Amino acid sequence: AAPRGGGGGGSRTDSRRGTVDRQAGLGKQETTQLGQQAVALMTQQRSRPSREEDGSREGADNKKAPYRLSDLEATACRPPADPSAPSAPPRWVNKGDVCFVREHGLVFIQSSVGRDGCYTVKVDDKKQFAVATESMRAPKDAKFAWAPGTQVSYLSASVGKWIDAQVLSFNSANGTYNLDVRPEANPDNVRPR
């Protein structure tokens, strides 16, 4: 057999690659260019995460691609969150947070819950008063949404009473909270614990 890569003519007959090159009608220069392009493409693909890895559904023009049925099925069949998985550190509604009180709208919390189970809230610069936890609700506005990890009570329709819960996230699109006990909980059913 002839030495590898040697000889003229641009066709290698001693390797599988040469046979494929000749059958495809490619010369040595064209084969080299295609090889370089393939290496560049493979390097580029390795250097950036795939769509599955980064969770992106963007196309080449950076527009969101429509979801496929398999994407929707994957989210519908997702197992429940592992309670032992790391989450946001627990926190309680406290000074500086905002809540909704039916009689006054959004109010700013001035002090945490006292022995009597009431918070001191501020309606405006001059008006402060005590309000019971039972009459407070979570804010619906993303600007004032309670942070992940906030310990709350959720009024469960299935159980028929308030149950302990924790905020996982806020859905700004529809103004609901994802809790560890219920996704998309209405803020009217969420209060401080």
Side-chain angles (χ1 to χ4, degrees):
R4 182 169 254 175
S11 175
R12 299 181 307 224
T13 57
D14 60 325
S15 70
R16 291 182 193 162
R17 176 95 178 147
T19 305
V20 171
D21 292 348
R22 192 179 61 219
Q23 289 173 351
L26 300 175
K28 187 175 187 177
Q29 182 178 7
E30 292 166 325
T31 303
T32 304
Q33 288 173 346
L34 285 175
Q36 290 171 346
Q37 289 172 353
V39 168
L41 182 61
M42 287 173 26
T43 304
Q44 182 182 18
Q45 288 176 343
R46 285 185 192 140
S47 68
R48 67 171 189 231
S50 70
R51 288 183 186 176
E52 290 79 21
E53 291 171 354
D54 70 2
S56 172
R57 293 276 301 131
E58 294 182 3
D61 57 356
N62 289 336
K63 292 184 180 174
K64 293 281 184 187
Y67 282 102
R68 299 178 296 229
L69 182 59
S70 60
D71 293 334
L72 298 174
E73 289 172 345
T75 57
C77 298
R78 186 178 300 150
D82 180 9
S84 65
S87 61
R91 67 175 296 277
W92 285 260
V93 174
N94 209 343
K95 183 177 180 175
D97 286 330
V98 175
C99 68
F100 179 80
V101 177
R102 183 168 297 183
E103 298 84 24
H104 302 285
L106 287 176
V107 295
F108 292 89
I109 297 174
Q110 289 300 109
S111 69
S112 59
V113 67
R115 289 183 185 168
D116 58 355
C118 293
Y119 285 84
T120 302
V121 298
K122 182 176 178 181
V123 178
D124 56 33
D125 289 336
K126 297 178 183 176
K127 191 173 181 184
Q128 291 185 0
F129 59 93
V131 63
T133 304
E134 290 78 22
S135 63
M136 299 170 71
R137 297 295 182 265
K140 299 176 184 178
D141 189 0
K143 181 178 178 182
F144 302 113
W146 292 341
T150 303
Q151 304 297 308
V152 297
S153 292
Y154 168 70
L155 182 57
S156 172
S158 61
V159 178
K161 64 180 184 175
W162 292 93
I163 59 173
D164 291 344
Q166 182 175 356
V167 173
L168 300 178
S169 63
F170 181 76
N171 303 311
S172 55
N174 59 7
T176 60
Y177 287 86
N178 289 327
L179 305 177
D180 59 348
V181 296
R182 176 171 175 81
E184 298 186 359
N186 185 338
D188 293 335
N189 296 336
V190 179
R191 71 179 188 197
R193 193 182 303 177

